[in-house]
Amino acid sequence: MTIPHIRNVAIIAHVDHGKTTLVDAMLWQSGLFRDNQPVQERVMDSLDLEREKGITIMAKNTSVVYRGVKINIVDTPGHADFGGEVERTLTMVDGALLLVDASEGPLPQTRFVLQKALERRLPIVCAVNKIDRQDRRPREVLDEIYSLLIDLDADDEQLDFPVFYTNAKIGAAWTSLEAAEAALAQLARPGQPTPAALDLSLEPLFEAVVDRIPAPGGDPAAPAQFLVTNLDWSDYVGRLAIGPLRNGRLRAGQEVALLKADGSAAARATLKAVYSYQGLARTEAELAEAGDIVALAGLPEAFIGDTVADPDEPRALPPVVVDEPTLTMEFSVNSSPLAGREGKLLTSRQIKARLDKEALYNVSVRVSQAAEDSADVFKVGARGELQLAVLVETMRREGFELTLGPPRVVVKEIDGRPHEPLELTVVDVPEEHVGVVTEKLTARKGQVVKLANHGAGRVRLEVEIPARGLVGYRSQFMTDTRGAGLLNSISLGLAPWRGDIKGRANGSLVADRQGAAVTYALYHLQPRGSIFVSPGDPVYPGLIVGENSRPEDIWVNPCKEKKLTNIRASGSDEALRLTPPRRLSLEEAIEYVREDEVLEVTPKSVRLRKKGPAK
């Protein structure tokens, strides 16, 4: 059976291709907001970090009603590091709206999500977005989309998808490129006619979603089956289990069986409340029927991958399966002399409880004890540096102080040979920077598999490179391309070990005593390299206060003051001028740290220090 009045669709695309902006336009045009209602941009990006970084981190769902059909829309992350969000999101939906930039075309995350969608046999509706860009090339981008689908072994039925040309910022969609260009030409005329005056809207896209995305299957009369794919928290009812109701009906007060994903014995519980999504709000519903995406309260032991079922006929659904982590970092308590000055959550027990909570809510994160003899050190596995950085940033904002080890790739033994994660890296750079980027990537064991010049002064490289080759490279890449390059990557799985890769070429300037940095000492350290601290900053033995311009480490005294005498000479006592210090962000520090160093993170500071004692 199918549920004809419901559609469940995920919006998938690479980062910054316009997913969240398109969802904004769909919400406005569905009549969800009043004309004079104040609504912030990118309303689906509700986390502080999402707004600061301009990316979607957590998958979130909303709903609109069109022609009497409720369309549940799931906004998914566009960065490969948050692929775990995409994988569990695709278990909730019956189709996908693929969004591709009209200039950049399909990028690594597009490939990753398409592959997952094709594996689940999800039908695709394609939208070529940002059709108003000056450097748009929609015909070539559409050819690249078809080529990508063919590379992913799509069959004839999957290749037969509708294509729309959209401008999410003005909320317009066209069924043909000619109509889109004609409307854009009218909008560019003097007098600036509005999209409303030209009767532009997303209606063609809504029509395609209703007509081409299949209705969810399910039998309302069958025993209940509900898959937990996301978790949330309410101050009133506690933990909320979110996911699709595959079969049956659920209502408040009903007794259910909770079937754990690991196959352990079922536990019984009573539902406190059942919520349905109406726009951005969760509204309490008397009854939830098969096919809808709902939230359930009253299941304090529910976790992602569990099944909520009828207690008389408990039947489990296939659990959520995600790819394995590619990077690990060691988390431990802050053991520096400055520990406890800024944070309030300091103990290993508190850190472990927070990491265990993250592993429950985020299926792509793995937490384990680093070693049997180190109960206070925890190994955290994730998809990439950005995912680890987001976790650490969230924890420091909550008041944690941490010591972090350098990121390490997960190496596995296959047939007696070590294998490591391999990444497909797509680099888009101006023509003049191709040489230096190629040189740096090949030195890190990268192999160029494709090079394309679209004739607009920029070149696109596709490079297969070990994941460890990208650790510490992104900041160097931005320096080499003067901020004009784009670098995106996605995992290709495991490949044989490609040999040793040289680490950071520069050594460190390491403090040899405790105290406060002074201007006189830092002024005389400047010729040796770049400085990380300012006058007055606290230092201690082993703290890295700068980067040496040479490969070796140097132990220095940043607290040395000028000896005072009663002799004065013209020009000798003029004010010392310091170059502004190089302040590393959390992401840059995670990339920068070496094997013999650790990272000290507090709510207000990010510091690097050596593992061993001062010399």
Side-chain angles (χ1 to χ4, degrees):
M1 295 178 62
T2 58
I3 316 300
H5 61 281
I6 295 177
R7 299 291 186 275
N8 299 322
V9 59
I11 299 187
I12 53 180
H14 192 81
V15 63
D16 201 31
H17 280 198
K19 298 181 305 300
T20 308
T21 304
L22 183 66
V23 174
D24 280 1
M26 296 176 81
L27 292 172
W28 272 106
Q29 295 187 20
S30 68
L32 180 65
F33 306 123
R34 302 187 311 272
D35 289 341
N36 62 343
Q37 182 175 347
V39 180
Q40 59 188 0
E41 290 186 359
R42 297 188 292 114
V43 65
M44 292 291 283
D45 284 349
S46 55
L47 301 178
D48 290 340
L49 276 175
E50 290 179 321
R51 296 200 156 274
E52 291 172 18
K53 294 179 178 293
I55 61 175
T56 301
I57 295 173
M58 296 290 292
K60 292 170 285 292
N61 49 299
T62 182
S63 71
V64 299
V65 177
Y66 178 77
R67 280 180 15 196
V69 177
K70 180 182 180 182
I71 304 174
N72 288 310
I73 302 171
V74 185
D75 183 18
T76 62
H79 198 287
D81 281 20
F82 308 106
E85 294 289 309
V86 174
E87 289 165 322
R88 62 185 173 85
T89 295
L90 294 181
T91 64
M92 302 169 62
V93 299
D94 305 289
L97 174 57
L98 174 66
L99 213 63
V100 181
D101 189 289
S103 172
E104 296 181 4
L107 287 172
Q109 181 68 359
T110 315
R111 181 186 188 95
F112 170 79
V113 178
L114 264 180
Q115 184 176 3
K116 297 295 181 183
L118 294 176
E119 289 173 359
R120 299 188 60 83
R121 307 291 301 172
L122 297 179
I124 302 293
V125 174
C126 180
V128 180
N129 194 33
K130 300 188 181 181
I131 198 63
D132 57 327
R133 285 186 60 157
Q134 294 295 324
D135 57 348
R136 62 183 178 269
R137 47 185 193 92
R139 292 183 177 85
E140 294 88 342
V141 166
L142 187 57
D143 289 341
E144 291 173 7
I145 295 171
Y146 280 114
S147 298
L148 177 57
L149 283 162
I150 293 170
D151 288 346
L152 296 175
D153 297 326
D155 57 30
D156 292 341
E157 184 179 350
Q158 292 171 323
L159 287 169
D160 183 23
F161 56 84
V163 179
F164 297 89
Y165 300 91
T166 61
N167 183 345
K169 289 175 73 174
I170 65 172
W174 299 270
T175 55
S176 69
L177 182 58
E178 292 74 18
E181 291 180 338
L184 291 173
Q186 284 184 285
L187 289 171
R189 289 177 182 172
Q192 298 178 341
T194 63
L198 296 178
D199 196 26
L200 301 180
S201 71
L202 294 173
E203 188 170 343
L205 200 58
F206 279 120
E207 293 279 351
V209 169
V210 172
D211 295 339
R212 299 296 294 264
I213 301 297
D219 184 0
Q225 283 183 300
F226 169 91
L227 180 65
V228 181
T229 56
N230 201 358
L231 296 173
D232 203 350
W233 179 265
S234 167
D235 292 334
Y236 301 100
V237 294
R239 179 174 297 186
L240 294 173
I242 302 170
L245 180 55
R246 301 293 190 200
N247 290 299
R249 298 180 175 92
L250 293 174
R251 56 170 52 87
Q254 179 177 340
E255 189 178 29
V256 295
L258 181 63
L259 310 178
K260 305 300 291 181
D262 59 8
S264 56
R268 294 203 173 200
T270 301
L271 298 181
K272 291 181 181 177
V274 176
Y275 298 92
S276 178
Y277 285 89
Q278 302 293 335
L280 296 173
R282 275 194 299 259
T283 59
E284 195 164 349
E286 293 183 4
L287 178 71
E289 293 194 340
D292 204 357
I293 295 175
V294 297
L296 306 178
L299 302 169
E301 301 299 322
F303 298 118
I304 293 172
D306 295 349
T307 300
V308 178
D310 190 309
D312 298 326
E313 294 185 54
R315 291 182 293 177
L317 292 166
V320 178
V321 179
V322 300
D323 291 342
E324 293 292 317
T326 58
L327 280 180
T328 64
M329 284 185 72
E330 291 183 353
F331 285 51
S332 60
V333 297
N334 183 12
S335 56
S336 86
L338 303 180
R341 296 191 181 185
E342 299 174 2
K344 58 184 179 181
L345 301 171
L346 312 172
T347 67
S348 61
R349 178 184 58 81
Q350 292 169 324
I351 293 172
K352 184 179 187 305
R354 178 62 179 84
L355 293 176
D356 288 343
K357 178 183 176 183
E358 184 69 23
L360 294 175
Y361 282 77
N362 193 335
V363 291
S364 61
V365 170
R366 304 284 192 275
V367 178
S368 61
Q369 194 170 309
E372 293 183 1
D373 58 345
S374 56
D376 294 342
V377 182
F378 310 103
K379 183 186 293 185
V380 180
R383 290 286 184 85
E385 292 168 271
L386 181 59
Q387 187 180 21
L388 288 167
V390 166
L391 171 58
V392 175
E393 180 65 31
T394 303
M395 291 180 67
R396 70 187 292 219
R397 293 187 182 195
E398 293 170 358
F400 282 90
E401 289 194 7
L402 302 166
T403 295
L404 305 175
R408 299 184 178 96
V409 298
V410 178
V411 180
K412 294 188 176 181
E413 190 105 355
I414 300 177
D415 297 330
R417 296 180 59 194
H419 283 63
E420 62 179 335
L422 189 68
E423 303 268 334
L424 175 65
T425 301
V426 177
V427 179
D428 193 305
V429 294
E431 291 177 344
E432 60 267 25
H433 301 309
V434 173
V436 65
V437 170
T438 304
E439 179 187 353
K440 294 288 178 64
L441 287 174
T442 52
R444 293 169 174 261
K445 306 299 181 182
Q447 296 178 356
V448 179
V449 295
K450 185 176 180 181
L451 186 149
N453 190 334
H454 299 302
R458 297 182 70 87
V459 176
R460 178 171 296 180
L461 296 166
E462 291 189 10
V463 184
E464 292 182 357
I465 184 171
R468 60 194 168 94
L470 291 176
V471 175
Y473 174 66
R474 295 179 191 272
S475 56
Q476 181 65 48
F477 171 78
M478 297 307 293
T479 301
D480 291 341
T481 61
R482 299 180 183 178
L486 298 172
L487 185 147
N488 298 283
S489 62
I490 187 170
S491 176
L492 293 177
L494 296 175
W497 182 267
R498 290 197 174 182
D500 294 333
I501 297 175
K502 290 184 178 180
R504 193 175 79 219
N506 298 81
S508 302
L509 303 177
V510 189
D512 65 356
R513 67 197 65 200
Q514 190 156 352
V518 298
T519 303
Y520 179 78
L522 297 181
Y523 177 79
H524 289 89
L525 288 177
Q526 281 184 160
R528 294 188 176 274
S530 57
I531 304 299
F532 296 163
V533 297
S534 299
D537 286 352
V539 298
Y540 57 84
L543 182 73
I544 297 174
V545 297
E547 180 182 86
N548 189 11
S549 56
R550 297 185 178 183
E552 64 273 3
D553 294 337
I554 302 178
W555 293 81
V556 298
N557 178 10
C559 310
K560 183 179 180 181
E561 297 182 348
K562 182 180 180 181
K563 294 187 181 300
L564 299 179
T565 69
N566 60 354
I567 300 175
R568 297 290 181 268
S570 175
S572 65
D573 293 316
E574 61 187 19
L576 302 178
R577 299 181 183 272
L578 290 178
T579 303
R582 176 185 169 190
R583 295 292 189 183
L584 297 178
S585 67
L586 178 60
E587 290 91 340
E588 290 171 338
I590 289 175
E591 290 183 359
Y592 187 86
V593 64
R594 291 197 301 196
E595 279 296 325
D596 62 338
E597 300 167 353
V598 293
L599 189 60
E600 176 189 342
V601 178
T602 69
K604 297 180 181 179
S605 307
V606 176
R607 303 183 183 97
L608 288 160
R609 73 170 189 263
K610 289 292 180 180
K611 284 184 179 178
K615 295 182 181 179

